[in-house]
Amino acid sequence: MRAATAGERARWNPFAALAAALDVRAGEWMRRRQGLDELPVTLARRRLYILPTRGGVAFAALLFLMLLAGLNYANSLALFLTFLLAGFALVVMQQCHRNLLGTEVQAAIAPAVFARSTGALQLTLGNSSATARIRLEAALPHLPLVSADLPPRAQQRLELPLPAPARGVVRIERVRLSTAHPFGLFRAWTWVHTPVSMLVYPHPHGALPMPVDNARAAGARSHAGAGADEWVGLRPFRDGDSPRQVDWKAYAREAPLLVKEYVQGASELRMFEFAQLARLDLEARLSQLARWVVDAEVHGERYGLILPGARLAADRGPEHRHRCLAALALFGLEGGLS
Amino acid sequence: MRPGTAVSAPAAAPLRPLLWTCAAFGGGVLLHADRVPPWAAGIALLLIVWRLLSAHRGGGSPAIAARALLALALVSIVLARFHTLNGLAAGTTLLLLMAGLKLLETRAARDQVVMVAAGLFLLLAACLDRQELARAPLYGLQAWLCCAALAVIATPTTSARAALSLAGRALLLALPLALLLFVFFPRLPGAFWAIPRNDLAMSGLSDTMTPGSIGQLATSYEPAFRVQFLGPLPPARERYWRGPVLHEFDGQGWRSSPRDLRAHVPREYLGTAYHYRVQLEASRQRWWFALDTPVQAPEARARLTYDEQIIGDEPLNDPVSFETVSYTHTRASQPLDIIVQHQDTALPPSGNPRSRALAQSLRARAGSDEALVEAVLVYLRTGGFVYSLEPERLGPDAIDDFLFRTRVGFCGHYASAFVVLMRAAGVPARVVTGYLGGEWIPYGGYLLVRQSEAHAWAEVWLEGRGWTRVDPTAVVAPARLERGILDLLPQQLPVRERLLHASPWLTQLLQRWDAANAWWTNHVVRFDYDAQLGVLERLGIRSPDARYLGSAFMLALCAWLGVVAWHIGRSLHPQRPDALARAYGRLCRKLGRITPRAPHQGPLDFGAALSACRPDVEASVLPLLERYAELRYGPPLAETRAQDIQVFRQAVARLKLPRATGRD
């Protein structure tokens, strides 16, 4: 997808520099004019801009030629055709504007991803009107468009690909929403200024064996039986629980949904230490730590992280994994994310 | 699954936009199919088929060198055929071919938009070429097709139905503006740039006549012109419409004189003056047909020649209307100009010996020119001559062949033979071509003259009377004067014309259709600056000028924009909620004075929140909220539902909340 875009952009354009400069200035002006957006935002008339597309400009030139020919020959049919098509273009402009007007931008989030992959800005658009909105396009600056149709009174989530080349934070200041529907003669657009940060975990990489920590970390339960999971009790079902852990027999007896809770044998308790990897450079160390965190989580082990100036107690679960990876992502960077 | 669809240029362009592109361009080609050379239209259609086939097979376009070579070849063919590229026919042909070549390399949406533009441009060329009423719907269809193609190119997933409905809706909304602009957009008084448009031939009379050429027109049902009389109508046998006057005979056919003699012979006009308005069709020729004999040229754009033709300054590329006065009888008061006399008694030095001999013998017997004319007419009447649309081919001595062998001919044969006999006898004579007759169209109150009424007659110079019309066809087929050619020779006409005249109902329909055409030509095709001012006058503006037009134009534009914006924006508003929702909304507003309902609260949660705030209203409010939940979410009760909602609505209306007794 990105290759195609690059190819399109490679088309020779003598005014590219001018257009880019204009784009930047226009962007700044719009930012000042519109201010920061608090989601959800309904796209109001005041913030929608509309201009003819390249095809629209060509269409206008054609109309001008037609008008000249019609006037020159005092040819009624040619003039009528010109006026009809001019009216058509004006109607199209209104339809294009309408297609975007009143769209709701309900949410914009960017879940964390690993470095050297492509993440996504998840943009939720809503349509409260009785007509469908066709082919709404969303794009991040300098990135390809993503388009979607919004049925009447519906929501639609768009995923805008967002490359994550290196660990840290990718910050998005604004998203461009546009549409050229229905005839591609005009494009209405707006910028939604909503800061979104995408956390980029270090690229999990490294082949060093996972350290085994024999010193029992604080808060970890000690059990003699190695390997076997131990049944702890029942608790109410929460979103994200595996169906395999649900106590279906109890549910069949009209009890509420209950989940059987186990605690794994605590023999696999590992503490990953930054200091242990002194032979590698910084990024390689972080990559190795990330690798271990990911593997340990996959194997259902309990693990902790010891970084210079930070210590994450041993635990497991998605939240813990995220905390560990976030700490690695932001390690040594200014303005870390809490 | 990703909810949004990523959009980028796909490797293989979907077929649908290409199909529509081809349709839009093909429509443009078909509009010109009968006007450009058949090979050009054929090549353009072939290129379309080629492109579609190659897209179907997933192949690419031919190499750039091949395309360049093809383009060069086609341009040279057009140049060789037309000797110019500056002309409507040549230009259109070139556009057809070049756009067809462009189609071969059409890949991206941008190229497809260019092709649709070519389709629209062909439509424009068709408008410039022909503006007949019957073609207007075709033009409308082509515009619709092009707009729908734009929709499909912009959104390739659009179905045909959706594209047509989108385009149709937009065009319908644009129609009022188009009408307003058409009426109020100020027109220019004259042309500022000219493309020759007379390279497209039309059927009609020309400045040459071979004996059979008029017969070819007889089967053409096309209108030539329409006449509205502002006073009395001339009798049917006087309805000679004067066209090209032919002076030069080469042994076979006739040509107009290259000489432009300014010598107008003064005449006296006798009898009734006929005042009338002629509406000429676009003939690409310069003759303005007028009732024989016009007194003067109608306006500055045309002049009256010495042989009483009205000749326009420009070929008639568009319909023209003019007013003039004619008399059907005239008398010359001066002798014939010597140059004219010489010209109109000239014959080729040899040929047609038997005709010359006949003329000499008749001359010897006749006492005067009048008697000679009479003798020749008697000869034609009694010689066993037959009036027919299908005469035999004539030999090199055409007049001899006709007079003494075949004796079967159409009006051209008789006029030609008569004039040759006269000239052989030394009497100045000339052939006049034009039309005879006309069909009275009661629906428009005008006389319709069709191409089939084309006619040729003769004029001889008689001392003391001047140029006198003699119609030799009239002595052979006297009925031709009163009735049209269609009644006279029905068996020789094409089946279509005969069928059309078989039933009075069809005839009536045809007449109505012609009246519609006349209206179209008068009020739409010829709608110009003066007509615009006329509209303003009818709107009550005393002395209208261009400024009023401008204001009316702006006013119309703004009004239309407002209406369209309202119409399009209307669909944005959510639908009016149903009665139950309205009643619930009212209830919530009432209860909102106690505590507003949070968006996430359902009716029962809201009730619980309310009773926590104000336990005193619990008894009156809770049943209502529960009733709403039941009506909205409970099992549907089809029969009583409407009633139940009505009862609920009234209960909500009756609800009165007592003031709070104290603070909680």
Side-chain angles (χ1 to χ4, degrees), chain A residues 1 62 66 72-73 75-77 87-88 94 98 129 133 135 147 153 156-157 183, chain B residues 3 5-7 121 127-128 131 147 174 191-193 195 524-525 565 568 572 575:
Chain A
M1 175 195 293
L62 181 73
M66 283 182 157
N72 187 40
Y73 294 116
N75 187 294
S76 292
L77 251 52
F88 171 76
Q94 307 247 12
R98 189 223 71 96
S129 79
R133 300 176 187 277
R135 228 172 140 89
S147 78
R153 292 182 233 292
Q156 177 79 277
R157 201 177 75 184
F183 291 93
Chain B
T5 37
V7 173
F121 216 87
C127 287
L128 292 182
Q131 306 192 65
C147 292
F192 42 80
W193 177 56
I195 286 186
V524 179
V525 174
I568 291 176
L572 268 185
Q575 274 168 6

mmCIF file of all heavy atoms in Angstrom, chain A residues 1 62 66 72-73 75-77 87-88 94 98 129 133 135 147 153 156-157 183, chain B residues 3 5-7 121 127-128 131 147 174 191-193 195 524-525 565 568 572 575:
data_model
loop_
_atom_site.group_PDB
_atom_site.id
_atom_site.type_symbol
_atom_site.label_atom_id
_atom_site.label_comp_id
_atom_site.label_asym_id
_atom_site.label_seq_id
_atom_site.Cartn_x
_atom_site.Cartn_y
_atom_site.Cartn_z
ATOM 1 N N MET A 1 0.834 -1.194 0.000
ATOM 2 C CA MET A 1 0.000 0.000 0.000
ATOM 3 C C MET A 1 0.872 1.248 0.000
ATOM 4 O O MET A 1 0.638 2.189 -0.735
ATOM 5 C CB MET A 1 -0.875 -0.007 1.240
ATOM 6 C CG MET A 1 -1.701 1.246 1.425
ATOM 7 S SD MET A 1 -2.360 1.346 3.059
ATOM 8 C CE MET A 1 -3.490 -0.005 3.047
ATOM 9 N N LEU A 62 -13.474 22.749 -18.866
ATOM 10 C CA LEU A 62 -14.348 22.263 -19.939
ATOM 11 C C LEU A 62 -15.607 23.122 -20.031
ATOM 12 O O LEU A 62 -16.041 23.503 -21.124
ATOM 13 C CB LEU A 62 -14.716 20.806 -19.643
ATOM 14 C CG LEU A 62 -15.592 20.123 -20.669
ATOM 15 C CD1 LEU A 62 -14.772 19.828 -21.912
ATOM 16 C CD2 LEU A 62 -16.175 18.849 -20.131
ATOM 17 N N MET A 66 -17.017 25.361 -23.101
ATOM 18 C CA MET A 66 -18.382 25.180 -23.592
ATOM 19 C C MET A 66 -19.121 26.507 -23.621
ATOM 20 O O MET A 66 -19.849 26.810 -24.565
ATOM 21 C CB MET A 66 -19.136 24.216 -22.684
ATOM 22 C CG MET A 66 -18.772 22.777 -22.888
ATOM 23 S SD MET A 66 -19.775 21.784 -21.793
ATOM 24 C CE MET A 66 -19.705 20.240 -22.637
ATOM 25 N N ASN A 72 -20.248 32.149 -28.470
ATOM 26 C CA ASN A 72 -19.707 32.534 -29.774
ATOM 27 C C ASN A 72 -20.690 32.232 -30.887
ATOM 28 O O ASN A 72 -20.931 33.058 -31.752
ATOM 29 C CB ASN A 72 -18.395 31.797 -30.005
ATOM 30 C CG ASN A 72 -17.698 32.272 -31.242
ATOM 31 O OD1 ASN A 72 -17.695 33.471 -31.518
ATOM 32 N ND2 ASN A 72 -17.131 31.363 -31.987
ATOM 33 N N TYR A 73 -21.259 31.048 -30.844
ATOM 34 C CA TYR A 73 -22.166 30.665 -31.915
ATOM 35 C C TYR A 73 -23.613 30.964 -31.568
ATOM 36 O O TYR A 73 -24.505 30.583 -32.318
ATOM 37 C CB TYR A 73 -22.006 29.181 -32.231
ATOM 38 C CG TYR A 73 -20.662 28.876 -32.801
ATOM 39 C CD1 TYR A 73 -19.778 28.053 -32.132
ATOM 40 C CD2 TYR A 73 -20.249 29.452 -33.987
ATOM 41 C CE1 TYR A 73 -18.525 27.792 -32.647
ATOM 42 C CE2 TYR A 73 -19.012 29.202 -34.498
ATOM 43 C CZ TYR A 73 -18.155 28.374 -33.836
ATOM 44 O OH TYR A 73 -16.926 28.136 -34.351
ATOM 45 N N ASN A 75 -25.356 29.478 -29.639
ATOM 46 C CA ASN A 75 -25.959 28.163 -29.776
ATOM 47 C C ASN A 75 -26.694 27.819 -28.486
ATOM 48 O O ASN A 75 -26.087 27.593 -27.444
ATOM 49 C CB ASN A 75 -24.864 27.136 -30.073
ATOM 50 C CG ASN A 75 -25.435 25.785 -30.387
ATOM 51 O OD1 ASN A 75 -26.026 25.150 -29.527
ATOM 52 N ND2 ASN A 75 -25.263 25.356 -31.617
ATOM 53 N N SER A 76 -28.002 27.809 -28.573
ATOM 54 C CA SER A 76 -28.809 27.653 -27.365
ATOM 55 C C SER A 76 -28.564 26.338 -26.660
ATOM 56 O O SER A 76 -28.465 26.281 -25.443
ATOM 57 C CB SER A 76 -30.283 27.760 -27.724
ATOM 58 O OG SER A 76 -30.574 29.058 -28.130
ATOM 59 N N LEU A 77 -28.472 25.272 -27.438
ATOM 60 C CA LEU A 77 -28.329 23.961 -26.810
ATOM 61 C C LEU A 77 -26.987 23.843 -26.091
ATOM 62 O O LEU A 77 -26.914 23.301 -24.990
ATOM 63 C CB LEU A 77 -28.480 22.858 -27.855
ATOM 64 C CG LEU A 77 -29.775 22.075 -27.723
ATOM 65 C CD1 LEU A 77 -30.951 23.007 -27.687
ATOM 66 C CD2 LEU A 77 -29.925 21.081 -28.827
ATOM 67 N N GLY A 87 -24.717 23.893 -13.100
ATOM 68 C CA GLY A 87 -25.619 23.637 -11.988
ATOM 69 C C GLY A 87 -25.293 22.301 -11.336
ATOM 70 O O GLY A 87 -25.269 22.179 -10.113
ATOM 71 N N PHE A 88 -25.001 21.339 -12.168
ATOM 72 C CA PHE A 88 -24.618 20.007 -11.679
ATOM 73 C C PHE A 88 -23.407 20.119 -10.754
ATOM 74 O O PHE A 88 -23.389 19.568 -9.655
ATOM 75 C CB PHE A 88 -24.315 19.126 -12.886
ATOM 76 C CG PHE A 88 -23.711 17.798 -12.564
ATOM 77 C CD1 PHE A 88 -24.482 16.774 -12.060
ATOM 78 C CD2 PHE A 88 -22.365 17.578 -12.760
ATOM 79 C CE1 PHE A 88 -23.929 15.550 -11.771
ATOM 80 C CE2 PHE A 88 -21.799 16.362 -12.471
ATOM 81 C CZ PHE A 88 -22.584 15.345 -11.971
ATOM 82 N N GLN A 94 -22.394 20.907 -3.062
ATOM 83 C CA GLN A 94 -23.210 20.845 -1.849
ATOM 84 C C GLN A 94 -23.299 19.414 -1.323
ATOM 85 O O GLN A 94 -23.248 19.182 -0.127
ATOM 86 C CB GLN A 94 -24.623 21.334 -2.162
ATOM 87 C CG GLN A 94 -24.622 22.679 -2.820
ATOM 88 C CD GLN A 94 -25.229 23.716 -1.939
ATOM 89 O OE1 GLN A 94 -25.446 23.481 -0.766
ATOM 90 N NE2 GLN A 94 -25.503 24.867 -2.505
ATOM 91 N N ARG A 98 -22.099 18.123 2.251
ATOM 92 C CA ARG A 98 -23.063 17.454 3.114
ATOM 93 C C ARG A 98 -22.576 16.083 3.573
ATOM 94 O O ARG A 98 -22.867 15.635 4.651
ATOM 95 C CB ARG A 98 -24.386 17.295 2.369
ATOM 96 C CG ARG A 98 -25.516 16.805 3.219
ATOM 97 C CD ARG A 98 -26.319 15.765 2.483
ATOM 98 N NE ARG A 98 -25.588 14.529 2.346
ATOM 99 C CZ ARG A 98 -25.719 13.504 3.176
ATOM 100 N NH1 ARG A 98 -26.554 13.564 4.170
ATOM 101 N NH2 ARG A 98 -25.016 12.403 2.998
ATOM 102 N N SER A 129 -27.116 10.945 11.161
ATOM 103 C CA SER A 129 -28.134 11.388 10.219
ATOM 104 C C SER A 129 -28.816 10.187 9.577
ATOM 105 O O SER A 129 -28.368 9.057 9.712
ATOM 106 C CB SER A 129 -27.529 12.274 9.139
ATOM 107 O OG SER A 129 -26.895 11.481 8.177
ATOM 108 N N ARG A 133 -23.245 8.071 4.801
ATOM 109 C CA ARG A 133 -22.111 8.883 4.357
ATOM 110 C C ARG A 133 -21.165 7.941 3.647
ATOM 111 O O ARG A 133 -20.693 6.974 4.235
ATOM 112 C CB ARG A 133 -21.420 9.535 5.545
ATOM 113 C CG ARG A 133 -22.334 10.447 6.318
ATOM 114 C CD ARG A 133 -21.638 10.992 7.534
ATOM 115 N NE ARG A 133 -22.571 11.732 8.351
ATOM 116 C CZ ARG A 133 -22.898 13.001 8.124
ATOM 117 N NH1 ARG A 133 -22.346 13.635 7.120
ATOM 118 N NH2 ARG A 133 -23.754 13.620 8.898
ATOM 119 N N ARG A 135 -17.877 6.808 1.551
ATOM 120 C CA ARG A 135 -16.474 7.033 1.216
ATOM 121 C C ARG A 135 -15.884 8.227 1.947
ATOM 122 O O ARG A 135 -15.365 9.162 1.342
ATOM 123 C CB ARG A 135 -16.326 7.240 -0.291
ATOM 124 C CG ARG A 135 -15.210 6.385 -0.880
ATOM 125 C CD ARG A 135 -15.238 6.482 -2.364
ATOM 126 N NE ARG A 135 -13.892 6.559 -2.910
ATOM 127 C CZ ARG A 135 -13.168 5.512 -3.237
ATOM 128 N NH1 ARG A 135 -13.635 4.304 -3.044
ATOM 129 N NH2 ARG A 135 -11.970 5.653 -3.736
ATOM 130 N N SER A 147 -10.432 4.778 3.648
ATOM 131 C CA SER A 147 -11.790 5.277 3.482
ATOM 132 C C SER A 147 -12.792 4.241 3.927
ATOM 133 O O SER A 147 -12.500 3.046 3.984
ATOM 134 C CB SER A 147 -12.042 5.673 2.039
ATOM 135 O OG SER A 147 -12.272 4.527 1.278
ATOM 136 N N ARG A 153 -27.151 6.318 10.935
ATOM 137 C CA ARG A 153 -27.170 6.042 12.385
ATOM 138 C C ARG A 153 -26.261 4.880 12.742
ATOM 139 O O ARG A 153 -26.700 3.879 13.271
ATOM 140 C CB ARG A 153 -28.578 5.671 12.830
ATOM 141 C CG ARG A 153 -29.557 6.806 12.764
ATOM 142 C CD ARG A 153 -30.902 6.338 13.265
ATOM 143 N NE ARG A 153 -31.934 6.624 12.300
ATOM 144 C CZ ARG A 153 -32.325 7.842 11.994
ATOM 145 N NH1 ARG A 153 -31.784 8.864 12.575
ATOM 146 N NH2 ARG A 153 -33.257 8.032 11.091
ATOM 147 N N GLN A 156 -18.460 3.604 12.781
ATOM 148 C CA GLN A 156 -17.521 2.828 11.994
ATOM 149 C C GLN A 156 -16.137 3.127 12.541
ATOM 150 O O GLN A 156 -15.812 4.273 12.834
ATOM 151 C CB GLN A 156 -17.641 3.264 10.535
ATOM 152 C CG GLN A 156 -16.677 2.603 9.608
ATOM 153 C CD GLN A 156 -17.145 1.206 9.249
ATOM 154 O OE1 GLN A 156 -16.915 0.279 10.004
ATOM 155 N NE2 GLN A 156 -17.790 1.060 8.115
ATOM 156 N N ARG A 157 -15.353 2.048 12.703
ATOM 157 C CA ARG A 157 -13.991 2.278 13.185
ATOM 158 C C ARG A 157 -13.039 2.183 12.012
ATOM 159 O O ARG A 157 -13.063 1.191 11.279
ATOM 160 C CB ARG A 157 -13.619 1.274 14.264
ATOM 161 C CG ARG A 157 -12.471 1.778 15.113
ATOM 162 C CD ARG A 157 -12.161 0.831 16.204
ATOM 163 N NE ARG A 157 -11.451 -0.324 15.668
ATOM 164 C CZ ARG A 157 -11.107 -1.372 16.393
ATOM 165 N NH1 ARG A 157 -11.425 -1.413 17.672
ATOM 166 N NH2 ARG A 157 -10.457 -2.379 15.854
ATOM 167 N N PHE A 183 -18.957 12.665 -6.820
ATOM 168 C CA PHE A 183 -18.510 12.667 -8.215
ATOM 169 C C PHE A 183 -17.022 12.948 -8.355
ATOM 170 O O PHE A 183 -16.509 13.010 -9.464
ATOM 171 C CB PHE A 183 -19.311 13.678 -9.034
ATOM 172 C CG PHE A 183 -20.731 13.267 -9.222
ATOM 173 C CD1 PHE A 183 -21.706 13.702 -8.350
ATOM 174 C CD2 PHE A 183 -21.085 12.400 -10.224
ATOM 175 C CE1 PHE A 183 -23.016 13.309 -8.488
ATOM 176 C CE2 PHE A 183 -22.392 11.995 -10.378
ATOM 177 C CZ PHE A 183 -23.360 12.443 -9.516
ATOM 178 N N PRO B 3 -12.429 -2.704 10.150
ATOM 179 C CA PRO B 3 -13.684 -2.104 9.720
ATOM 180 C C PRO B 3 -13.500 -1.169 8.523
ATOM 181 O O PRO B 3 -14.346 -1.071 7.673
ATOM 182 C CB PRO B 3 -14.162 -1.351 10.948
ATOM 183 C CG PRO B 3 -12.953 -1.173 11.807
ATOM 184 C CD PRO B 3 -11.973 -2.236 11.433
ATOM 185 N N THR B 5 -11.800 0.144 5.021
ATOM 186 C CA THR B 5 -11.130 -0.469 3.902
ATOM 187 C C THR B 5 -10.009 0.447 3.451
ATOM 188 O O THR B 5 -10.216 1.623 3.226
ATOM 189 C CB THR B 5 -12.100 -0.669 2.736
ATOM 190 O OG1 THR B 5 -12.983 0.447 2.715
ATOM 191 C CG2 THR B 5 -12.873 -1.939 2.893
ATOM 192 N N ALA B 6 -8.848 -0.105 3.359
ATOM 193 C CA ALA B 6 -7.718 0.692 2.912
ATOM 194 C C ALA B 6 -7.874 0.966 1.420
ATOM 195 O O ALA B 6 -8.281 0.098 0.665
ATOM 196 C CB ALA B 6 -6.432 -0.055 3.168
ATOM 197 N N VAL B 7 -7.587 2.184 1.032
ATOM 198 C CA VAL B 7 -7.728 2.530 -0.378
ATOM 199 C C VAL B 7 -6.395 2.961 -0.945
ATOM 200 O O VAL B 7 -5.744 3.843 -0.423
ATOM 201 C CB VAL B 7 -8.739 3.673 -0.557
ATOM 202 C CG1 VAL B 7 -8.740 4.126 -2.014
ATOM 203 C CG2 VAL B 7 -10.123 3.183 -0.191
ATOM 204 N N PHE B 121 -17.299 16.706 -24.583
ATOM 205 C CA PHE B 121 -16.889 17.595 -25.669
ATOM 206 C C PHE B 121 -17.562 17.176 -26.976
ATOM 207 O O PHE B 121 -17.987 18.021 -27.767
ATOM 208 C CB PHE B 121 -15.369 17.560 -25.816
ATOM 209 C CG PHE B 121 -14.815 18.888 -26.193
ATOM 210 C CD1 PHE B 121 -14.503 19.815 -25.221
ATOM 211 C CD2 PHE B 121 -14.622 19.219 -27.517
ATOM 212 C CE1 PHE B 121 -14.023 21.059 -25.571
ATOM 213 C CE2 PHE B 121 -14.138 20.461 -27.874
ATOM 214 C CZ PHE B 121 -13.832 21.384 -26.901
ATOM 215 N N CYS B 127 -24.136 19.478 -30.233
ATOM 216 C CA CYS B 127 -25.035 20.624 -30.050
ATOM 217 C C CYS B 127 -24.747 21.690 -31.097
ATOM 218 O O CYS B 127 -25.656 22.314 -31.635
ATOM 219 C CB CYS B 127 -24.857 21.225 -28.661
ATOM 220 S SG CYS B 127 -25.544 20.235 -27.349
ATOM 221 N N LEU B 128 -23.465 21.940 -31.356
ATOM 222 C CA LEU B 128 -23.112 22.964 -32.340
ATOM 223 C C LEU B 128 -23.559 22.533 -33.726
ATOM 224 O O LEU B 128 -23.894 23.352 -34.563
ATOM 225 C CB LEU B 128 -21.593 23.191 -32.350
ATOM 226 C CG LEU B 128 -21.009 23.829 -31.100
ATOM 227 C CD1 LEU B 128 -19.517 24.028 -31.261
ATOM 228 C CD2 LEU B 128 -21.676 25.153 -30.810
ATOM 229 N N GLN B 131 -29.386 21.097 -33.713
ATOM 230 C CA GLN B 131 -30.150 21.473 -32.529
ATOM 231 C C GLN B 131 -31.601 21.045 -32.631
ATOM 232 O O GLN B 131 -32.475 21.693 -32.082
ATOM 233 C CB GLN B 131 -30.119 22.994 -32.337
ATOM 234 C CG GLN B 131 -28.732 23.584 -32.298
ATOM 235 C CD GLN B 131 -28.772 25.006 -31.817
ATOM 236 O OE1 GLN B 131 -29.134 25.254 -30.672
ATOM 237 N NE2 GLN B 131 -28.434 25.935 -32.662
ATOM 238 N N CYS B 147 -22.218 12.030 -16.508
ATOM 239 C CA CYS B 147 -22.198 12.349 -15.072
ATOM 240 C C CYS B 147 -22.172 11.059 -14.250
ATOM 241 O O CYS B 147 -21.452 10.953 -13.255
ATOM 242 C CB CYS B 147 -23.405 13.194 -14.707
ATOM 243 S SG CYS B 147 -23.326 14.833 -15.434
ATOM 244 N N ALA B 174 -30.101 20.485 -10.818
ATOM 245 C CA ALA B 174 -29.427 21.534 -11.588
ATOM 246 C C ALA B 174 -30.347 22.128 -12.642
ATOM 247 O O ALA B 174 -30.098 23.230 -13.126
ATOM 248 C CB ALA B 174 -28.173 20.965 -12.251
ATOM 249 N N ALA B 191 -20.566 36.779 -33.070
ATOM 250 C CA ALA B 191 -19.505 35.809 -32.835
ATOM 251 C C ALA B 191 -18.155 36.516 -32.758
ATOM 252 O O ALA B 191 -17.935 37.507 -33.442
ATOM 253 C CB ALA B 191 -19.480 34.785 -33.950
ATOM 254 N N PHE B 192 -17.249 36.024 -31.911
ATOM 255 C CA PHE B 192 -15.918 36.624 -31.850
ATOM 256 C C PHE B 192 -14.852 35.691 -32.395
ATOM 257 O O PHE B 192 -13.691 35.993 -32.418
ATOM 258 C CB PHE B 192 -15.565 37.066 -30.431
ATOM 259 C CG PHE B 192 -15.955 36.104 -29.356
ATOM 260 C CD1 PHE B 192 -15.181 34.991 -29.082
ATOM 261 C CD2 PHE B 192 -17.104 36.313 -28.622
ATOM 262 C CE1 PHE B 192 -15.551 34.113 -28.090
ATOM 263 C CE2 PHE B 192 -17.473 35.443 -27.632
ATOM 264 C CZ PHE B 192 -16.699 34.334 -27.360
ATOM 265 N N TRP B 193 -15.263 34.555 -32.835
ATOM 266 C CA TRP B 193 -14.290 33.592 -33.346
ATOM 267 C C TRP B 193 -15.064 32.577 -34.161
ATOM 268 O O TRP B 193 -16.157 32.194 -33.786
ATOM 269 C CB TRP B 193 -13.574 32.919 -32.180
ATOM 270 C CG TRP B 193 -12.613 31.866 -32.572
ATOM 271 C CD1 TRP B 193 -11.563 31.995 -33.411
ATOM 272 C CD2 TRP B 193 -12.624 30.522 -32.140
ATOM 273 N NE1 TRP B 193 -10.908 30.814 -33.522
ATOM 274 C CE2 TRP B 193 -11.538 29.883 -32.750
ATOM 275 C CE3 TRP B 193 -13.443 29.779 -31.296
ATOM 276 C CZ2 TRP B 193 -11.243 28.558 -32.555
ATOM 277 C CZ3 TRP B 193 -13.151 28.455 -31.094
ATOM 278 C CH2 TRP B 193 -12.059 27.859 -31.711
ATOM 279 N N ILE B 195 -15.266 28.937 -36.291
ATOM 280 C CA ILE B 195 -14.821 27.671 -36.869
ATOM 281 C C ILE B 195 -15.726 27.447 -38.064
ATOM 282 O O ILE B 195 -16.934 27.594 -37.951
ATOM 283 C CB ILE B 195 -15.047 26.496 -35.897
ATOM 284 C CG1 ILE B 195 -14.040 26.524 -34.782
ATOM 285 C CG2 ILE B 195 -14.949 25.174 -36.631
ATOM 286 C CD1 ILE B 195 -14.154 25.297 -33.911
ATOM 287 N N VAL B 524 -36.503 28.167 -28.418
ATOM 288 C CA VAL B 524 -35.326 27.628 -27.727
ATOM 289 C C VAL B 524 -34.069 27.857 -28.559
ATOM 290 O O VAL B 524 -33.137 28.510 -28.126
ATOM 291 C CB VAL B 524 -35.501 26.127 -27.416
ATOM 292 C CG1 VAL B 524 -34.270 25.590 -26.736
ATOM 293 C CG2 VAL B 524 -36.731 25.924 -26.561
ATOM 294 N N VAL B 525 -34.086 27.337 -29.773
ATOM 295 C CA VAL B 525 -32.871 27.404 -30.591
ATOM 296 C C VAL B 525 -32.516 28.853 -30.908
ATOM 297 O O VAL B 525 -31.363 29.245 -30.862
ATOM 298 C CB VAL B 525 -33.063 26.588 -31.881
ATOM 299 C CG1 VAL B 525 -31.883 26.773 -32.800
ATOM 300 C CG2 VAL B 525 -33.239 25.128 -31.531
ATOM 301 N N ALA B 565 -29.334 24.154 -1.342
ATOM 302 C CA ALA B 565 -28.649 23.917 -0.072
ATOM 303 C C ALA B 565 -29.647 23.395 0.954
ATOM 304 O O ALA B 565 -29.371 22.456 1.694
ATOM 305 C CB ALA B 565 -28.004 25.201 0.428
ATOM 306 N N ILE B 568 -30.617 19.724 -0.006
ATOM 307 C CA ILE B 568 -29.583 18.731 0.254
ATOM 308 C C ILE B 568 -29.336 18.593 1.745
ATOM 309 O O ILE B 568 -29.149 17.505 2.273
ATOM 310 C CB ILE B 568 -28.294 19.107 -0.499
ATOM 311 C CG1 ILE B 568 -28.527 18.941 -1.990
ATOM 312 C CG2 ILE B 568 -27.135 18.246 -0.051
ATOM 313 C CD1 ILE B 568 -27.392 19.365 -2.842
ATOM 314 N N LEU B 572 -29.852 15.711 6.250
ATOM 315 C CA LEU B 572 -28.913 15.548 7.362
ATOM 316 C C LEU B 572 -29.634 15.384 8.686
ATOM 317 O O LEU B 572 -29.151 14.713 9.582
ATOM 318 C CB LEU B 572 -28.035 16.785 7.466
ATOM 319 C CG LEU B 572 -26.739 16.751 6.707
ATOM 320 C CD1 LEU B 572 -25.951 17.978 7.027
ATOM 321 C CD2 LEU B 572 -25.947 15.525 7.089
ATOM 322 N N GLN B 575 -34.293 11.738 11.628
ATOM 323 C CA GLN B 575 -35.744 11.650 11.441
ATOM 324 C C GLN B 575 -36.455 12.061 12.726
ATOM 325 O O GLN B 575 -35.931 11.918 13.820
ATOM 326 C CB GLN B 575 -36.126 10.221 11.090
ATOM 327 C CG GLN B 575 -36.010 9.965 9.600
ATOM 328 C CD GLN B 575 -36.108 8.496 9.306
ATOM 329 O OE1 GLN B 575 -36.376 7.702 10.203
ATOM 330 N NE2 GLN B 575 -35.868 8.136 8.070
#
